[in-house]
């Protein structure tokens, strides 16, 4: 019996009440059944679990912090959930190489605390930092709030260790920034379909403790883009996040926060600069040259975090309205104004909440209730030369729409790679690869 065989190798959970947390996603939209959850505590255990499941022909859904939003980490019916949460080893920070090795189950906030204590930082940060894990971030190539400065997770990984579908282990944790011994196996953004990431060698960046944050109230998206163009002349710019009045109202109801500005504005742009020396004087001087109706400047760290909260609390505030359809899309910046004008009509009778990462044209289109507007919205994004999945991944949510962003030749190549590495379709079936 599978349960018996796996229990001999590692920790196994079968209690339905405990399993529920592994079988349902954060939004409540994606849920399924699993015979059990396996919680290995080492790479060797992961390899053993994979070997046993392969032998029994039982598919496996790898799962990190279960903060994903596209149904890529929860079972549908009958897959074993392979949770990597117990792989929490954190190696010493190598200050000369500016690197660290982290287990797949290390939570982003724990990684941040660990490397900041050594005067360094990790270049990726986002609202789900207290739950998201290193393995999941790599498997989805997570983006977040600092992409304009440090790139997505891909740019912050030197190498990974992973278990393949046959239970063999591939390990590139040596930390060599230069190593052209062939092409890299494509684990980044593979969403658990090609291998199970168990650890990673991560690139670190200098810890910039001096920060300056401001919230701009603007008359529209074109004005926000104009402000962004000027702000980008600052080397210290690290964050340019936007939200709209509807989302702000929801966040305020949910958090009890007061209005952030004197009057309501059509668009809010949250910007943050970080530098080795106080970036506030240059940010404030630049802001004075802009024609912006209202600017609120953070007075101290607590105030900075308060301003962030208006943006970061969107996801949890939207959940209070019901189970949202989340369309995480990206468009070329020049296409944003017309897309946003058409969006309410495309959304139909659904409640529409919109926020995201302006510098990458990454919009989080959240729809609650009404008719499912996924198809018209994604088709419109594709027509504009955008991406149907900017930073959350494809998961189960976007698989039917992948052809809108990838050509037939690309889809055939994806299938060929999947087949080569996982011929029996053991790893995360139904996710990403159509
Ligand atoms: C964010 O930017 C996350 O806060 C979540 O990517 C987006 O909830 C969402 O739609
Ligand atoms: Zn985001």
């Amino acid at each position: 019996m599978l349960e018996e065989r796996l229990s001999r190798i590692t920790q196994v959970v079968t209690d339905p009440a405990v399993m529920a947390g592994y079988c349902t996603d954060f939004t409540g939209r994606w849920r399924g059944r699993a015979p059990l959850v396996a919680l290995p505590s080492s790479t060797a255990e992961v390899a053993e679990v994979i070997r046993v499941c392969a032998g029994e022909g039982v598919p496996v859904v790898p799962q990190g912090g279960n903060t994903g939003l596209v149904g890529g980490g929860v079972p549908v019916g009958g897959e074993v959930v392979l949770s990597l949460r117990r792989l929490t080893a954190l190696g010493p920070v190598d200050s000369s190489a500016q690197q660290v090795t982290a287990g797949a189950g290390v939570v982003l906030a724990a990684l941040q605390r660990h490397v900041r204590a050594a005067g360094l930082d990790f270049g990726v940060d986002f609202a789900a930092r207290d739950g998201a894990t290193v393995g999941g971030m790599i498997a989805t190539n997570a983006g977040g709030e600092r992409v304009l400065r440090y790139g997505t997770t891909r740019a912050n990984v030197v190498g990974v260790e992973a278990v393949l579908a046959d239970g063999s282990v591939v390990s590139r944790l040596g930390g060599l920034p230069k190593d052209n011994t062939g092409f890299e196996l494509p684990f980044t953004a593979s969403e658990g379909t090609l291998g199970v990431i168990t650890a990673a060698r991560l690139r670190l960046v200098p810890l910039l403790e001096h920060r300056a944050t401001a919230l701009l109230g603007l008359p529209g998206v074109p004005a926000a883009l104009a402000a962004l163009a000027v702000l980008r002349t600052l080397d210290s710019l690290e964050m340019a996040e936007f939200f709209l009045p509807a989302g702000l109202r929801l966040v305020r109801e949910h958090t009890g926060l007061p209005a952030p500005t004197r009057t309501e504005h059509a668009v809010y742009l949250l910007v943050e600069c970080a530098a080795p020396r106080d970036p506030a004087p240059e940010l404030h001087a630049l802001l004075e040259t802009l024609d912006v109706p209202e600017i609120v400047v953070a007075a101290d760290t607590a105030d900075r975090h308060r301003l962030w909260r208006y943006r970061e609390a969107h996801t949890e505030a939207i959940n209070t309205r019901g189970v949202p359809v989340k369309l995480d899309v990206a468009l070329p910046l020049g296409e944003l104004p017309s897309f946003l004008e058409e969006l309410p009509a495309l959304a139909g009778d659904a409640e529409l909440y919109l926020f995201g990462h302006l510098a990458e044209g990454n919009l989080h289109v959240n729809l609650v209730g009404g008719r499912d507007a996924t198809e018209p919205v994604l088709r419109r994004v594709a027509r504009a030369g955008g991406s149907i999945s900017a930073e959350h991944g494809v998961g189960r949510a976007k698989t039917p729409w992948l052809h809108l962003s990838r050509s037939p030749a690309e889809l055939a190549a994806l299938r060929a790679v999947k087949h080569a590495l996982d011929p029996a379709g053991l790893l995360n079936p139904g996710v990403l690869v159509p």
Side-chain angles (χ1 to χ4, degrees):
M1 226 184 99
L2 184 69
E3 184 189 335
E4 214 177 279
R5 291 190 65 192
L6 291 180
S7 316
R8 268 186 250 123
I9 299 166
T10 192
Q11 186 176 320
V12 163
V13 173
T14 52
D15 177 350
V18 182
M19 289 219 302
Y22 295 87
C23 294
T24 309
D25 85 325
F26 169 80
T27 64
R29 183 172 177 211
W30 304 98
R31 55 180 77 225
R33 283 177 304 102
L36 57 88
V37 178
L39 286 140
S41 64
S42 68
T43 303
E45 284 184 16
V46 174
E48 272 300 297
V49 170
I50 295 280
R51 257 184 240 119
V52 169
C53 290
E56 305 244 340
V58 178
V60 169
V61 175
Q63 186 184 92
N66 198 12
T67 57
L69 300 170
V70 290
V74 286
V76 178
E79 306 97 321
V80 160
V81 175
L82 175 52
S83 170
L84 287 312
R85 274 184 212 183
R86 288 173 73 216
L87 299 185
T88 52
L90 260 173
V93 174
D94 182 338
S95 300
S96 2
Q98 299 203 323
Q99 294 177 359
V100 72
T101 300
V106 171
V107 169
L108 175 57
L111 172 70
Q112 290 172 334
R113 282 192 297 274
H114 180 65
V115 303
R116 284 174 188 170
L120 291 166
D121 204 356
F122 188 54
V124 184
D125 191 24
F126 48 77
R129 59 183 73 80
D130 291 316
T133 57
V134 166
M137 288 172 67
I138 299 172
T140 55
N141 188 28
E145 295 158 357
R146 295 177 170 189
V147 172
L148 73 89
R149 187 165 202 172
Y150 298 117
T152 58
T153 300
R154 176 180 280 126
N156 297 278
V157 173
V158 190
V160 305
E161 176 189 80
V163 177
L164 302 183
D166 63 359
S168 56
V169 178
V170 290
S171 188
R172 309 295 298 167
L173 300 179
L176 295 177
K178 290 188 173 179
D179 177 18
N180 284 346
T181 50
F183 57 81
E184 269 166 58
L185 293 173
F187 295 117
T188 309
S190 70
E191 303 186 30
T193 63
L194 304 179
V196 179
I197 296 166
T198 48
R201 187 74 178 165
L202 303 173
R203 178 169 291 127
L204 303 175
V205 298
L207 177 62
L208 302 173
E209 279 177 301
H210 297 280
R211 289 177 175 264
T213 309
L215 183 68
L216 285 58
L218 296 146
V221 173
L225 289 170
L228 176 67
V230 178
L231 286 158
R232 284 192 105 146
T233 62
L234 295 175
D235 286 340
S236 58
L237 186 68
E238 187 157 298
M239 186 182 192
E241 301 280 307
F242 84 98
F243 50 90
L244 306 182
L248 174 61
R249 273 194 290 275
L250 216 55
V251 165
R252 287 190 50 210
E253 275 166 31
H254 177 64
T255 59
L257 283 169
T261 49
R262 275 192 320 276
T263 56
E264 183 171 290
H265 300 274
V267 176
Y268 298 86
L269 182 63
L270 178 65
V271 296
E272 182 160 290
C273 290
R277 268 191 302 272
D278 186 10
E282 63 167 8
L283 173 63
H284 298 171
L286 192 75
L287 289 175
E288 265 169 33
T289 68
L290 296 177
D291 182 19
V292 174
E294 193 173 351
I295 299 177
V296 175
V297 166
D300 52 30
T301 302
D303 213 21
R304 271 184 43 233
H305 289 157
R306 181 182 60 89
L307 292 183
W308 281 24
R309 189 97 179 103
Y310 290 108
R311 159 62 184 85
E312 290 196 338
H314 269 69
T315 303
E316 59 197 65
I318 290 165
N319 261 19
T320 64
R321 297 293 304 158
V323 176
V325 168
K326 290 189 173 280
L327 304 175
D328 155 48
V329 300
L331 288 99
L333 293 188
E335 298 286 336
L336 288 185
S338 60
F339 175 76
L340 292 175
E341 252 167 55
E342 288 173 39
L343 194 54
L346 295 172
D349 54 353
E351 282 176 36
L352 169 65
Y353 302 103
L354 191 69
F355 59 100
H357 316 280
L358 191 67
E360 294 84 47
N362 180 185
L363 313 179
H364 294 310
V365 180
N366 278 248
L367 303 164
V368 186
R371 198 176 30 85
D372 185 351
T374 301
E375 174 155 6
V377 173
L378 295 187
R379 284 197 186 280
R380 176 65 179 80
V381 166
R383 266 208 315 283
S387 168
I388 62 143
S389 174
E391 63 168 4
H392 294 169
V394 174
R396 293 181 202 285
K398 305 282 186 66
T399 310
W401 312 108
L402 195 54
H403 65 95
L404 294 175
S405 279
R406 308 298 296 255
S407 69
E410 286 173 318
L411 291 175
L414 286 184
R415 277 198 203 94
V417 174
K418 167 72 176 169
H419 187 74
L421 287 178
D422 182 19
L426 180 81
L427 299 175
N428 229 1
V431 166
L432 172 57
V433 185

